[in-house]
Amino acid sequence: MRDNENNRPTWRFFDGSVSISVSMLLAVLLSGCQGCQDIPLLDYLGMLTSKDDGVIIVATLLLFPTSLALYGVLIMFFAAKEFVEKRAAKRGREEGREEGREEGRLAERARIQRELEARGVTVTPELAGILSGESQ
């Protein structure tokens, strides 16, 4: 988590520059959009782009909504990425715990079998199956 916090200023700059570029692209696309004349707000913005500095004005008007949209997408992307990473880490911990438990069981069964052999106790087929882990 701390590593991501150190990269935030870089992402803020990136997000801002992308927002400016996308809003400018939308303004340019609106200036040449023929099908936008039927939609009231897009028709007005398209008309504004035909005036002096109109593309810059429209790009400035579109900057805030574009920033909100892109920032929201980035938030969702990084939230999903963090969720997947946490879930993978949790799954890895659970698998590691289960693997450790199994290793512990096998080691304890081997220790019990060694102790029984050292004391000269005859191991019945049922007890041998239990110690080998076949019957639980």
Side-chain angles (χ1 to χ4, degrees):
M1 292 289 272
R2 296 267 182 217
D3 294 337
N4 290 343
E5 290 175 5
N6 294 336
N7 292 333
R8 283 188 181 172
T10 306
W11 281 109
R12 296 281 186 222
F13 174 76
F14 177 74
D15 183 37
S17 63
V18 169
S19 297
I20 291 169
S21 299
V22 170
S23 67
M24 185 59 79
L25 175 67
L26 290 174
V28 169
L29 291 175
L30 276 173
S31 70
C33 181
Q34 299 301 324
C36 299
Q37 296 169 352
D38 299 334
I39 304 170
L41 181 62
L42 295 182
D43 179 38
Y44 179 71
L45 290 175
M47 186 264 315
L48 275 179
T49 60
S50 65
K51 300 192 181 276
D52 289 341
D53 298 329
V55 173
I56 294 173
I57 292 169
V58 172
T60 305
L61 288 172
L62 293 175
L63 183 59
F64 185 68
T66 303
S67 295
L68 284 178
L70 292 176
Y71 185 67
V73 168
L74 285 175
I75 285 177
M76 288 190 316
F77 172 77
F78 286 115
K81 179 180 177 267
E82 183 178 351
F83 173 75
V84 168
E85 288 172 350
K86 282 183 179 179
R87 195 165 104 188
K90 182 180 177 184
R91 183 177 296 138
R93 281 192 306 270
E94 289 173 357
E95 289 173 358
R97 284 184 188 133
E98 187 56 39
E99 186 177 315
R101 285 186 191 116
E102 187 60 31
E103 287 176 5
R105 284 186 201 114
L106 292 175
E108 183 62 15
R109 288 177 181 152
R111 187 191 68 77
I112 291 170
Q113 193 166 9
R114 283 192 311 271
E115 286 293 321
L116 289 174
E117 289 172 358
R119 296 175 191 246
V121 176
T122 9
V123 179
T124 63
E126 181 181 295
L127 185 56
I130 291 171
L131 288 174
S132 68
E134 293 173 6
S135 122
Q136 295 180 357

